[in-house]
Amino acid sequence: PSPTWLRRQPEIQAHSFAPADDRGEPFKHSAWVPARAWSRFRPAFGRDREIADMSVRLRPGKPLRFDEGFLPGGAGRFDWIVTLTRAQLSADARLELRLDGELAQTIDPPDARERSWQSPKLRWTSHGADVQIEVRLVGAAEEDFVDLRDLAAFRVMPASPPTLHPERTP
């Protein structure tokens, strides 16, 4: 809907709709979980960083550190995913994700990539409500780089069965 239409509404409600035809396949439900992402658009992001469109360019010897940030829901388990938009790396280059000063994951990104790529998820447990994040490019040649779009932390939640409300489905 257009912003003009939205402003005229006395209230907005979210609705879930089930398809009329399941084509013989069970419905695949999704659930929203608390999450947070860090990108070059965070406040206090270093102005001396090399920017590549929506990403920050990460080079060897220049770790990327984010200001300490809160985790949705405080201490607990999170799935972390790193998203790159471009990579030009030698075969031995790796990304290190450090959380709260400890090496949490070593990532082997594609050596050459011209479009988005996501790392395998990392399950990590926070013992506090905030996290310090650092990303390093290691084992790389001087000309190597990756363009990092964001890092995202998704809260791990207990599974719950979906609820359909057929009386609300048009």
Side-chain angles (χ1 to χ4, degrees):
S2 72
T4 304
W5 181 87
L6 287 171
R7 281 193 297 275
R8 286 186 279 186
Q9 303 310 306
E11 69 176 17
I12 302 295
Q13 296 180 359
H15 295 278
S16 295
F17 299 98
D21 181 10
D22 67 7
R23 298 191 175 145
E25 295 289 325
F27 291 117
K28 293 180 181 163
H29 299 279
S30 60
W32 294 94
V33 297
R36 177 143 191 232
W38 287 262
S39 72
R40 75 177 191 93
F41 298 104
R42 301 291 327 145
F45 186 79
R47 305 241 187 268
D48 61 337
R49 301 306 300 212
E50 189 177 351
I51 302 300
D53 298 319
M54 300 289 285
S55 303
V56 61
R57 184 151 290 170
L58 186 60
R59 294 190 180 272
K62 287 193 74 175
L64 177 61
R65 294 178 186 95
F66 290 92
D67 287 345
E68 186 171 85
F70 77 92
L71 290 166
R77 294 183 311 149
F78 291 86
D79 286 338
W80 285 80
I81 296 177
V82 176
T83 303
L84 306 178
T85 54
R86 188 170 180 214
Q88 189 61 53
L89 299 168
S90 51
D92 295 333
R94 302 290 182 267
L95 281 176
E96 288 184 352
L97 174 60
R98 295 178 174 271
L99 301 171
D100 287 340
E102 300 290 327
L103 178 61
Q105 184 175 33
T106 300
I107 301 166
D108 183 10
D111 294 341
R113 183 96 178 169
E114 292 290 331
R115 59 181 195 262
S116 291
W117 175 86
Q118 289 185 329
S119 69
K121 72 179 176 184
L122 161 71
R123 177 73 45 93
W124 178 76
T125 300
S126 169
H127 300 290
D130 296 317
V131 64
Q132 293 178 336
I133 303 168
E134 181 178 359
V135 184
R136 297 180 185 178
L137 185 55
V138 298
E142 187 177 328
E143 65 276 4
D144 287 354
F145 68 89
V146 295
D147 291 347
L148 180 110
R149 190 186 75 196
D150 61 43
L151 301 128
F154 299 89
R155 181 91 185 179
V156 176
M157 305 290 289
S160 60
T163 304
L164 291 178
H165 300 282
E167 69 279 1
R168 295 183 189 164
T169 304

